[in-house]
Amino acid sequence: MVKLSLSEDNQNLHTVELSYQAAPGKSVGVAGSFNDWDPELLPMAYSPETSAYGCTIHLAPGTYEYKFVVDGEWVLDESNPNFAANDFGTLNSVINVG
């Protein structure tokens, strides 16, 4: 799931909240065009209150592709209806910021 809001800084960045519903005890990260497709740069923390993993990032206006990486498996964000084909014959989720 993706939530967007305007940051309160002067850099024209937007706050993006990403969440992934899964049971506790999993290893969950997010990889995308905003972090060179490295899921270790954006590990997601589990919240018992929401029963989901989440992270917050700040992005400039633009279009970004991403996937969740759950226990080493690359997973589409099924709560996001926006996606694009990738070079591996699968799909990436897409965020349009700003």
Side-chain angles (χ1 to χ4, degrees):
M1 173 183 285
V2 178
K3 290 183 185 177
L4 298 172
S5 63
L6 185 60
S7 278
E8 295 182 15
D9 59 29
N10 293 326
Q11 298 178 4
N12 198 28
L13 296 179
H14 295 259
T15 300
V16 179
E17 294 179 29
L18 296 166
S19 65
Y20 180 80
Q21 294 288 132
K26 302 230 178 244
S27 170
V28 181
V30 63
S33 55
F34 44 78
N35 69 350
D36 245 359
W37 295 96
D38 186 345
E40 295 193 19
L41 293 177
L42 281 174
M44 299 176 77
Y46 183 76
S47 168
E49 296 166 359
T50 62
S51 298
Y53 292 81
C55 70
T56 301
I57 56 178
H58 301 281
L59 298 174
T63 300
Y64 302 90
E65 295 185 19
Y66 70 99
K67 277 191 160 178
F68 296 119
V69 182
V70 182
D71 290 340
E73 182 179 340
W74 293 71
V75 180
L76 192 66
D77 182 352
E78 294 192 15
S79 69
N80 181 353
N82 302 310
F83 54 86
N86 62 35
D87 294 339
F88 300 102
T90 61
L91 299 174
N92 294 335
S93 298
V94 176
I95 305 171
N96 293 306
V97 177

